[in-house]
Amino acid sequence: MNTIKDIDLIRQKAQQDDADQTCIYVHMGTCGIASGAMSVLGAIKNKIKEDGAAKDVKVVTTGCAGICSQEPLITVKIPGAEPVIYKQMDEQKVLRVYESHVKGDSAVVEYALARGMEYQIKERKASAGHIPGEKVMTAEIPGIEELPFFALQELRVMRNRGLIDPAKIKDYIGRDGYQGAIKALTEMSSEEVINEAIGSGLRGRGGAGFPIGLKWKFAAAEKNDIKYILCNADEGDPGAFMDRNVMESDPHSIIEGLIIGAKAIGAHQGYIYCRAEYPLAIETLNKAINQARALDLLGENILGTGFSFDISVYEGAGAFVCGEETALMRSIEGKRGNPRPKPPFPAKAGLFEKPTVLNNVETLSNIPQIIVKGADWYKEIGTEKSPGTKIFSITGDIENVGCVEVPIGTTVDTIVNQIGIVSPDKNLKAVQLGGPSGGCIPKDYMHVAVDYETLQEYGAIMGSGGLIAMSDDKSGVDIAKFFIDFCQDEACGKCLPGREGTKQMLQILEKIDSGEGSPDDIETLKVLCGVIRKTALCALCKTAVNPVLSTLRYFPEEYQEAVKTKVEMGG
């Protein structure tokens, strides 16, 4: 059996590896692969083999580097010199980078995105834009600290982005991975783990924002020999890909979070519920779980600590409703994924009617660092009510599509206009936050801070982190229709308000959009929103009305204009 000492030896060796070797990082998330990263990887590997340079040049595959719209990306790191990130690579470009930069020590300026890597930003800022001891490459390439997309982020959950191979557990261990789990299993009682989580103020990142420590405390208090801890990886919001990014790039952070959570509540079995539409994430998770088992970080008597815990990946069929916790649990049980009324809450009767905790991917990935560095460290950033960071997948009418992690409380303006940058040929109209259950923040409210309470005041929600920037060529009616169409299609059909109410709302929106609507239809729409919000069975349908209410609130003139033609024609 492996011991804690063995893990420490792996960590020490991993930290020494690659330090004195030229590395080419090829970023191979789904976004990179879809953009052609496989051919880039093949071209550079073949060239290195052809040159007989495999001992001198190492190729490292990592997950997404964050800025998906610039994929395929590679990073060239030569000992003693600044790393350089190259964008929009293809087979010809990567071979030119290899000849010029790797073999010739001369960066290719026209392909370069930035000098430096994200983990160096703070040190580069403190040292006038370079790392002491590193050769400065040409100043024609901007330093990474000069690019708002990278410089305005605070990477905690995604701290290993672009640095580790998710298929190699030693890479994660080399970045102090599993130290939180080891500390929790060897130095802390369950109560101490829970108190650390409560003290951190971490709130669930799946949308509801419920304090994770309290959720653990409720489950821990239940007297039952069988308990479960689950990871909700059923990311189904249109435009959301934060969790997929973490699963593909840093799967061990999720596994470690589950181990710590299992210790907290006394669970010995966990499940990661991931939709089958994420094949790379599922493959990566299963590989990571098997590697953790091989090192005795999962299974019976973990590292000789006496604590046993294991994880299985459950593939969902892609139903949006299975993102709701009780529906997800029914799906794992092999039943139809329908929500059920609460109470009883899952902490008392969840999966197979046993005490169960469900946390999402991002929430769990926060946990290891909280245990290692403490609750006070975690609360250094964010807001008083919502400490820490939040990951957003930003997309729509912006130049920098990708995943960003910022302190909670960051303004919408910073995320959209400074990090995302609105496309030059577009005029921003609004930002949709929180997916189909969220709402719009119009361009006049870009100063709004992104936190749970403030967003609700403006009719939007944090949600799981999907953020879509929309230009003024979309009408409020179009926006509402798109999201209601999605919710109506994905409603499970169990309750009347969700099944028939969303259908009626969609029919009315289509009528208004086609010019056949009347002022009475707008009033009916408002009444339906109120009824569904009060009477639908689960949160998914209760909040499905949000895009309609939000667009009615901020763009009422567009609804009035859409029904005006009918009125003028005497309809």
Side-chain angles (χ1 to χ4, degrees):
M1 167 168 288
N2 286 285
T3 65
I4 294 169
K5 186 177 180 181
D6 295 321
I7 300 301
D8 196 46
L9 289 173
I10 292 172
R11 180 165 65 105
Q12 292 174 28
K13 185 175 186 307
Q15 290 173 345
Q16 293 168 357
D17 285 351
D18 305 339
D20 299 317
Q21 189 172 22
T22 294
C23 291
I24 300 175
Y25 298 85
V26 183
H27 307 294
M28 300 282 291
T30 290
C31 52
I33 293 171
S35 301
M38 290 296 287
S39 61
V40 170
L41 178 66
I44 195 64
K45 279 188 169 180
N46 288 337
K47 182 61 180 173
I48 290 171
K49 184 178 180 181
E50 179 183 311
D51 284 359
K55 290 184 179 179
D56 302 315
V57 182
K58 183 177 180 180
V59 176
V60 180
T61 54
T62 79
C64 169
I67 188 163
C68 309
S69 51
Q70 297 291 350
E71 294 282 5
L73 289 151
I74 68 165
T75 302
V76 175
K77 184 179 178 184
I78 296 175
E82 289 181 313
V84 175
I85 303 171
Y86 291 97
K87 61 184 178 181
Q88 297 177 356
M89 289 283 97
D90 59 25
E91 293 181 39
Q92 289 71 40
K93 288 178 180 177
V94 77
L95 293 179
R96 186 178 165 200
V97 169
Y98 176 77
E99 293 292 339
S100 178
H101 190 166
V102 178
K103 295 173 68 174
D105 197 27
S106 178
V108 184
V109 175
E110 59 265 43
Y111 300 158
L113 177 65
R115 291 177 288 123
M117 298 176 77
E118 284 187 288
Y119 75 93
Q120 299 177 320
I121 287 177
K122 290 180 180 176
E123 188 177 356
R124 287 179 65 91
K125 284 181 177 177
S127 305
H130 72 281
I131 302 295
E134 277 191 352
K135 173 188 172 185
V136 177
M137 306 301 286
T138 173
E140 294 180 70
I141 303 171
I144 193 165
E145 71 284 356
E146 300 175 58
L147 302 181
F149 180 88
F150 298 107
L152 295 176
Q153 295 191 52
E154 178 74 30
L155 300 187
R156 287 190 168 186
V157 173
M158 298 196 294
R159 69 189 181 94
N160 294 325
R161 181 163 76 181
L163 287 173
I164 66 169
D165 184 342
K168 294 181 179 175
I169 192 171
K170 74 173 185 60
D171 283 14
Y172 181 72
I173 292 173
R175 295 275 296 165
D176 295 333
Y178 287 107
Q179 294 303 302
I182 290 172
K183 182 179 178 181
L185 296 183
T186 60
E187 301 176 23
M188 302 173 75
S189 66
S190 295
E191 186 178 11
E192 287 171 330
V193 173
I194 291 170
N195 287 338
E196 198 72 54
I198 291 174
S200 73
L202 173 63
R203 300 170 66 171
R205 298 296 194 247
F210 192 82
I212 183 174
L214 286 180
K215 192 179 271 191
W216 287 2
K217 186 177 181 178
F218 295 151
E222 293 296 321
K223 304 298 182 187
N224 201 309
D225 291 337
I226 300 176
K227 299 181 183 179
Y228 297 103
I229 184 166
L230 315 179
C231 173
N232 186 351
D234 195 53
E235 187 174 56
D237 290 4
F241 45 92
M242 308 78 56
D243 291 349
R244 189 196 73 206
N245 188 298
V246 175
M247 287 186 283
E248 291 178 355
S249 304
D250 202 0
H252 289 286
S253 67
I254 306 165
I255 295 170
E256 187 176 5
L258 281 166
I259 295 171
I260 296 168
K263 168 65 185 286
I265 69 169
H268 300 292
Q269 177 63 49
Y271 291 93
I272 300 175
Y273 187 94
C274 183
R275 53 184 45 226
E277 290 97 326
Y278 283 0
L280 179 58
I282 290 170
E283 178 186 344
T284 306
L285 285 168
N286 278 317
K287 192 173 291 183
I289 288 169
N290 288 331
Q291 290 177 344
R293 286 179 184 144
L295 288 181
D296 298 306
L297 286 158
L298 286 175
E300 295 293 324
N301 191 18
I302 293 174
L303 298 178
T305 61
F307 183 75
S308 300
F309 176 67
D310 209 345
I311 301 170
S312 298
V313 175
Y314 191 97
E315 294 186 36
F320 179 65
V321 72
C322 286
E324 197 277 339
E325 59 181 354
T326 59
L328 182 152
M329 292 170 198
R330 292 295 169 266
S331 179
I332 293 178
E333 292 170 358
K335 302 171 183 172
R336 180 172 176 174
N338 278 355
R340 65 157 174 81
K342 293 179 282 188
F345 291 97
K348 188 175 187 65
L351 182 65
F352 300 114
E353 304 305 320
K354 302 296 183 183
T356 303
V357 160
L358 176 73
N359 300 130
N360 95 327
V361 167
E362 183 180 347
T363 310
L364 289 165
S365 295
N366 269 292
I367 290 298
Q369 292 182 83
I370 290 174
I371 298 300
V372 170
K373 298 179 180 178
D376 290 340
W377 166 82
Y378 189 74
K379 292 189 291 188
E380 287 176 355
I381 59 173
T383 66
E384 184 177 352
K385 291 183 178 178
S386 302
T389 60
K390 180 74 192 78
I391 302 176
F392 292 94
S393 56
I394 59 173
T395 186
D397 294 319
I398 55 174
E399 293 193 323
N400 296 329
V401 172
C403 274
V404 302
E405 183 175 1
V406 294
I408 291 182
T410 300
T411 65
V412 180
D413 178 73
T414 298
I415 299 172
V416 175
N417 289 320
Q418 297 182 55
I419 295 177
I421 303 178
V422 176
S423 302
D425 58 338
K426 299 288 186 180
N427 295 313
L428 183 69
K429 179 191 185 80
V431 172
Q432 174 76 15
L433 270 158
S437 300
C440 287
I441 299 293
K443 67 175 182 180
D444 293 338
Y445 296 89
M446 291 293 104
H447 62 280
V448 167
V450 178
D451 64 55
Y452 293 94
E453 288 75 22
T454 306
L455 287 176
Q456 286 185 5
E457 290 174 17
Y458 286 84
I461 61 172
M462 182 94 80
S464 59
L467 188 155
I468 303 173
M470 296 174 289
S471 57
D472 58 6
D473 54 1
K474 286 94 177 169
S475 77
V477 180
D478 283 336
I479 294 167
K481 193 176 67 170
F482 172 81
F483 286 111
I484 283 295
D485 188 18
F486 176 84
C487 290
Q488 189 273 328
D489 193 45
E490 292 287 341
C492 72
K494 185 172 182 179
C495 73
L496 183 68
R499 184 178 66 247
E500 297 299 327
T502 55
K503 186 183 294 182
Q504 286 190 45
M505 290 178 71
L506 178 60
Q507 290 171 349
I508 293 172
L509 286 166
E510 289 175 338
K511 187 179 174 186
I512 293 173
D513 191 43
S514 67
E516 294 297 318
S518 69
D520 288 346
D521 288 321
I522 298 177
E523 295 307 311
T524 303
L525 207 50
K526 292 176 182 176
V527 172
L528 273 171
C529 285
V531 171
I532 293 171
R533 174 173 275 182
K534 288 180 181 176
T535 59
L537 175 62
C538 74
L540 295 184
C541 281
K542 285 179 186 290
T543 56
V545 303
N546 287 347
V548 178
L549 291 173
S550 177
T551 49
L552 280 168
R553 174 180 177 178
Y554 291 116
F555 309 111
E557 71 283 358
E558 296 181 7
Y559 281 85
Q560 297 295 339
E561 186 64 29
V563 300
K564 185 179 176 183
T565 305
K566 181 78 171 175
V567 172
E568 289 177 347
M569 292 174 66

